[in-house]
Protein backbone atom coordinates (compact mmCIF):
# COMPACT_ATOMS: atom_id res chain seq x y z
CA UNK A 1 0.00 0.00 0.00
CA UNK A 2 1.35 3.41 -0.95
CA UNK A 3 1.89 5.85 1.86
CA UNK A 4 1.11 9.54 1.99
CA UNK A 5 2.75 11.28 -0.95
CA UNK A 6 3.93 14.87 -0.82
CA UNK A 7 5.61 17.07 -3.36
CA UNK A 8 7.90 18.78 -3.71
CA UNK A 9 10.29 17.47 -1.06
CA UNK A 10 12.25 20.68 -0.97
CA UNK A 11 11.48 24.23 -2.06
CA UNK A 12 13.58 27.35 -1.92
CA UNK A 13 11.95 30.66 -2.73
CA UNK A 14 12.49 34.32 -2.15
CA UNK A 15 10.25 36.18 0.25
CA UNK A 16 7.02 37.59 -1.19
CA UNK A 17 6.88 34.78 -3.76
CA UNK A 18 3.99 32.28 -3.79
CA UNK A 19 4.48 28.59 -3.08
CA UNK A 20 2.24 25.53 -3.19
CA UNK A 21 2.50 22.08 -1.68
CA UNK A 22 0.63 18.99 -2.76
CA UNK A 23 -0.46 15.95 -0.78
CA UNK A 24 -2.05 12.67 -1.80
CA UNK A 25 -3.28 10.76 1.25
CA UNK A 26 -3.56 7.01 1.67
CA UNK A 27 -6.45 5.65 -0.36
CA UNK A 28 -9.63 5.51 1.66
CA UNK A 29 -8.47 7.92 4.34
CA UNK A 30 -11.19 10.51 4.88
CA UNK A 31 -9.29 12.79 7.23
CA UNK A 32 -6.38 14.87 6.00
CA UNK A 33 -4.13 17.14 8.06
CA UNK A 34 -1.63 19.82 7.20
CA UNK A 35 0.99 20.51 9.85
CA UNK A 36 3.87 22.90 10.16
CA UNK A 37 6.97 21.71 12.00
CA UNK A 38 9.80 23.96 13.06
CA UNK A 39 13.16 22.51 13.97
CA UNK A 40 13.16 20.96 17.43
CA UNK A 41 9.42 21.34 17.90
CA UNK A 42 6.33 19.23 17.55
CA UNK A 43 3.94 19.44 14.60
CA UNK A 44 1.47 22.32 14.72
CA UNK A 45 -1.87 21.76 13.04
CA UNK A 46 -2.72 24.21 10.26
CA UNK A 47 -5.91 22.65 8.94
CA UNK A 48 -7.87 19.41 9.15
CA UNK A 49 -10.24 18.10 6.51
CA UNK A 50 -13.01 15.57 6.88
CA UNK A 51 -13.50 14.56 3.25
CA UNK A 52 -13.68 17.88 1.40
CA UNK A 53 -14.79 19.94 4.41
CA UNK A 54 -12.28 21.97 6.40
CA UNK A 55 -13.43 21.24 9.96
CA UNK A 56 -10.57 22.85 11.87
CA UNK A 57 -8.65 25.76 10.36
CA UNK A 58 -8.36 27.88 13.47
CA UNK A 59 -4.54 27.88 13.32
CA UNK A 60 -4.28 28.68 9.61
CA UNK A 61 -3.00 32.23 8.96
CA UNK A 62 -5.72 33.04 6.51
CA UNK A 63 -4.22 36.29 5.32
CA UNK A 64 -1.53 34.40 3.44
CA UNK A 65 -2.30 30.69 3.69
CA UNK A 66 -5.02 28.81 1.83
CA UNK A 67 -5.81 25.16 1.34
CA UNK A 68 -8.22 23.08 -0.65
CA UNK A 69 -9.30 19.48 -0.96
CA UNK A 70 -11.79 19.72 -3.79
CA UNK A 71 -12.72 16.09 -4.36
CA UNK A 72 -12.01 14.89 -0.85
CA UNK A 73 -8.83 13.13 -1.93
CA UNK A 74 -5.65 15.07 -2.61
CA UNK A 75 -5.01 18.50 -1.21
CA UNK A 76 -2.94 21.60 -1.84
CA UNK A 77 -1.62 24.14 0.63
CA UNK A 78 -0.63 27.54 -0.67
CA UNK A 79 1.26 30.46 0.79
CA UNK A 80 1.07 33.84 -0.89
CA UNK A 81 3.14 35.82 -0.25
CA UNK A 82 5.75 33.83 1.66
CA UNK A 83 7.62 35.44 4.54
CA UNK A 84 10.98 34.56 6.06
CA UNK A 85 9.26 33.10 9.12
CA UNK A 86 7.43 30.55 6.96
CA UNK A 87 10.62 28.51 6.57
CA UNK A 88 9.75 25.12 8.08
CA UNK A 89 8.77 21.59 7.17
CA UNK A 90 5.18 21.23 6.02
CA UNK A 91 3.79 17.81 6.83
CA UNK A 92 0.69 16.19 5.44
CA UNK A 93 -0.96 13.33 7.31
CA UNK A 94 -4.06 11.24 6.83
CA UNK A 95 -6.20 8.92 8.91
CA UNK A 96 -9.21 6.72 8.24
CA UNK A 97 -11.48 9.09 10.11
CA UNK A 98 -11.50 11.47 13.02
CA UNK A 99 -12.31 8.68 15.48
CA UNK A 100 -9.69 6.33 14.05
CA UNK A 101 -6.76 8.21 15.28
CA UNK A 102 -3.59 6.72 13.90
CA UNK A 103 -2.13 9.34 11.61
CA UNK A 104 0.12 8.44 8.72
CA UNK A 105 2.55 11.15 7.74
CA UNK A 106 4.11 11.97 4.42
CA UNK A 107 7.82 12.81 4.10
CA UNK A 108 7.12 16.52 4.28
CA UNK A 109 8.15 19.53 2.21
CA UNK A 110 11.08 21.53 3.54
CA UNK A 111 10.49 25.18 2.66
CA UNK A 112 13.27 27.73 2.80
CA UNK A 113 12.34 31.37 2.30
CA UNK A 114 15.28 33.63 1.50
CA UNK B 1 -5.58 27.23 25.82
CA UNK B 2 -5.05 23.53 26.18
CA UNK B 3 -1.42 22.44 26.32
CA UNK B 4 0.46 19.19 26.47
CA UNK B 5 3.77 19.63 28.23
CA UNK B 6 6.46 17.09 27.50
CA UNK B 7 9.69 16.65 29.45
CA UNK B 8 12.60 16.44 29.24
CA UNK B 9 13.46 18.21 26.01
CA UNK B 10 16.58 16.08 25.58
CA UNK B 11 17.92 12.97 27.22
CA UNK B 12 21.46 11.71 26.75
CA UNK B 13 21.97 8.07 27.67
CA UNK B 14 24.63 5.44 27.28
CA UNK B 15 23.56 2.55 25.11
CA UNK B 16 21.94 0.02 27.38
CA UNK B 17 20.58 2.59 29.82
CA UNK B 18 16.89 3.30 30.23
CA UNK B 19 15.00 6.31 28.85
CA UNK B 20 11.76 7.91 29.98
CA UNK B 21 9.69 10.81 28.66
CA UNK B 22 6.65 12.31 30.34
CA UNK B 23 3.61 14.19 29.08
CA UNK B 24 1.17 16.25 31.11
CA UNK B 25 -2.04 17.81 29.89
CA UNK B 26 -3.87 20.76 31.43
CA UNK B 27 -7.19 19.06 30.69
CA UNK B 28 -8.56 15.53 30.62
CA UNK B 29 -7.84 13.69 27.40
CA UNK B 30 -9.95 11.12 25.61
CA UNK B 31 -6.83 9.36 24.43
CA UNK B 32 -3.12 9.91 23.94
CA UNK B 33 -0.91 8.79 21.12
CA UNK B 34 2.84 8.37 20.87
CA UNK B 35 4.92 8.93 17.76
CA UNK B 36 8.60 8.52 16.94
CA UNK B 37 10.47 10.75 14.52
CA UNK B 38 13.90 9.67 13.35
CA UNK B 39 16.40 12.40 12.42
CA UNK B 40 15.40 13.80 9.04
CA UNK B 41 12.25 11.71 9.00
CA UNK B 42 8.56 12.15 9.68
CA UNK B 43 6.52 11.12 12.73
CA UNK B 44 5.57 7.46 12.84
CA UNK B 45 2.71 6.21 14.99
CA UNK B 46 3.71 3.94 17.87
CA UNK B 47 0.62 3.43 19.99
CA UNK B 48 -2.63 4.86 21.30
CA UNK B 49 -3.81 4.70 24.91
CA UNK B 50 -7.49 5.17 25.69
CA UNK B 51 -8.36 3.77 29.10
CA UNK B 52 -7.62 5.31 32.48
CA UNK B 53 -4.54 3.65 34.00
CA UNK B 54 -3.80 1.73 30.81
CA UNK B 55 -0.36 0.17 30.35
CA UNK B 56 0.82 -1.22 27.03
CA UNK B 57 4.11 -2.80 26.07
CA UNK B 58 5.90 -3.12 22.77
CA UNK B 59 9.07 -5.15 23.29
CA UNK B 60 11.33 -2.78 25.26
CA UNK B 61 8.83 0.12 25.20
CA UNK B 62 6.27 0.59 27.98
CA UNK B 63 3.49 3.17 27.64
CA UNK B 64 1.30 4.34 30.51
CA UNK B 65 -1.81 6.52 30.69
CA UNK B 66 -2.56 8.12 34.03
CA UNK B 67 -5.63 7.41 36.12
CA UNK B 68 -6.94 10.94 35.57
CA UNK B 69 -6.18 10.71 31.83
CA UNK B 70 -4.07 13.84 32.04
CA UNK B 71 -0.59 12.36 31.95
CA UNK B 72 1.33 9.67 30.14
CA UNK B 73 4.80 8.25 29.95
CA UNK B 74 6.98 6.24 27.62
CA UNK B 75 9.78 4.14 29.06
CA UNK B 76 12.42 2.38 26.98
CA UNK B 77 14.44 -0.34 28.67
CA UNK B 78 18.05 -0.94 27.65
CA UNK B 79 18.23 1.60 24.83
CA UNK B 80 19.77 0.67 21.49
CA UNK B 81 21.12 2.86 18.71
CA UNK B 82 17.97 2.16 16.72
CA UNK B 83 15.97 3.98 19.41
CA UNK B 84 17.56 7.32 18.53
CA UNK B 85 15.04 9.97 17.54
CA UNK B 86 12.44 12.30 18.98
CA UNK B 87 9.44 10.88 20.79
CA UNK B 88 6.21 12.90 20.70
CA UNK B 89 3.04 12.50 22.66
CA UNK B 90 -0.19 13.84 21.20
CA UNK B 91 -3.35 14.15 23.25
CA UNK B 92 -6.86 14.27 21.91
CA UNK B 93 -10.01 15.78 23.38
CA UNK B 94 -13.43 14.37 22.61
CA UNK B 95 -14.92 17.78 21.95
CA UNK B 96 -13.21 18.56 18.68
CA UNK B 97 -10.98 15.57 17.93
CA UNK B 98 -8.00 17.90 17.67
CA UNK B 99 -4.61 16.41 18.53
CA UNK B 100 -2.46 18.57 20.79
CA UNK B 101 1.20 17.69 20.36
CA UNK B 102 3.94 17.83 22.93
CA UNK B 103 7.25 19.42 21.98
CA UNK B 104 8.98 16.04 21.96
CA UNK B 105 11.86 14.44 23.82
CA UNK B 106 15.00 13.81 21.84
CA UNK B 107 16.80 10.60 22.73
CA UNK B 108 20.54 10.86 22.17
CA UNK B 109 22.88 7.91 22.62
CA UNK B 110 26.28 8.96 23.94
CA UNK B 111 29.19 7.70 21.85
Amino acid sequence: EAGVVQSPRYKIIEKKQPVAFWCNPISGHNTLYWYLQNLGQGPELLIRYENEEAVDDSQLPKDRFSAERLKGVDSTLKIQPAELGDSAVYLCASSLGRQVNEQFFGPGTRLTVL
Amino acid sequence: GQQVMQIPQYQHVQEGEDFTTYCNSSTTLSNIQWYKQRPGGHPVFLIQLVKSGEVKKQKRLTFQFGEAKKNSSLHITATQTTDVGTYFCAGQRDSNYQLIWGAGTKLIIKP
Side-chain angles (χ1 to χ4, degrees):
Chain A
E1 177 183 291
V4 177
V5 179
Q6 287 189 251
S7 68
R9 291 294 311 279
Y10 304 91
K11 190 73 177 178
I12 301 174
I13 60 171
E14 294 189 345
K15 63 181 181 182
K16 300 185 181 180
Q17 295 299 307
V19 64
F21 314 125
W22 177 79
C23 172
N24 191 22
I26 292 172
S27 177
H29 281 196
N30 296 323
T31 307
L32 183 145
Y33 314 77
W34 281 105
Y35 289 94
L36 175 156
Q37 187 175 29
N38 287 303
L39 189 64
Q41 296 182 26
E44 301 171 29
L45 181 70
L46 292 172
I47 190 166
R48 172 166 62 95
Y49 283 93
E50 299 289 343
N51 298 302
E52 65 274 8
E53 182 183 1
V55 295
D56 185 353
D57 62 356
S58 57
Q59 302 303 313
L60 189 73
K62 298 182 183 64
D63 57 334
R64 297 184 300 107
F65 286 64
S66 64
E68 61 182 15
R69 191 184 186 199
L70 293 175
K71 296 183 179 179
V73 181
D74 57 348
S75 175
T76 56
L77 177 69
K78 298 178 181 178
I79 308 175
Q80 183 170 12
E83 297 179 353
L84 295 176
D86 296 331
S87 295
V89 175
Y90 290 83
L91 293 164
C92 178
S94 69
S95 64
L96 277 172
R98 63 181 184 181
Q99 289 180 307
V100 182
N101 297 316
E102 179 179 352
Q103 294 186 21
F104 295 81
F105 283 81
T109 297
R110 182 176 296 277
L111 173 67
T112 302
V113 182
L114 302 175
Chain B
Q2 182 185 8
Q3 290 186 334
V4 172
M5 306 301 294
Q6 189 172 357
I7 57 170
Q9 188 176 3
Y10 302 94
Q11 192 167 8
H12 295 76
V13 300
Q14 298 277 6
E15 189 175 3
E17 291 181 338
D18 293 355
F19 162 87
T20 306
T21 173
Y22 301 90
C23 278
N24 288 287
S25 169
S26 56
T27 59
T28 302
L29 301 170
S30 62
N31 65 77
I32 194 159
Q33 301 172 33
W34 286 91
Y35 290 78
K36 176 184 179 181
Q37 186 170 21
R38 292 180 185 275
H42 56 273
V44 175
F45 177 84
L46 293 176
I47 207 161
Q48 177 177 282
L49 305 173
V50 179
K51 299 176 182 177
S52 170
E54 190 170 14
V55 178
K56 286 188 176 180
K57 293 189 176 183
Q58 290 179 350
K59 297 183 179 178
R60 294 177 296 103
L61 278 61
T62 302
F63 304 84
Q64 296 189 34
F65 200 12
E67 293 290 340
K69 300 182 73 172
K70 286 187 176 181
N71 57 73
S72 182
S73 66
L74 159 59
H75 180 81
I76 303 177
T77 304
T79 54
Q80 300 175 359
T81 55
T82 53
D83 296 326
V84 164
T86 302
Y87 293 84
F88 292 98
C89 63
Q92 188 176 53
R93 291 185 300 178
D94 271 331
S95 57
N96 63 5
Y97 302 99
Q98 185 182 56
L99 266 187
I100 309 297
W101 291 73
T105 297
K106 190 172 185 178
L107 169 58
I108 300 164
I109 303 283
K110 298 176 187 176

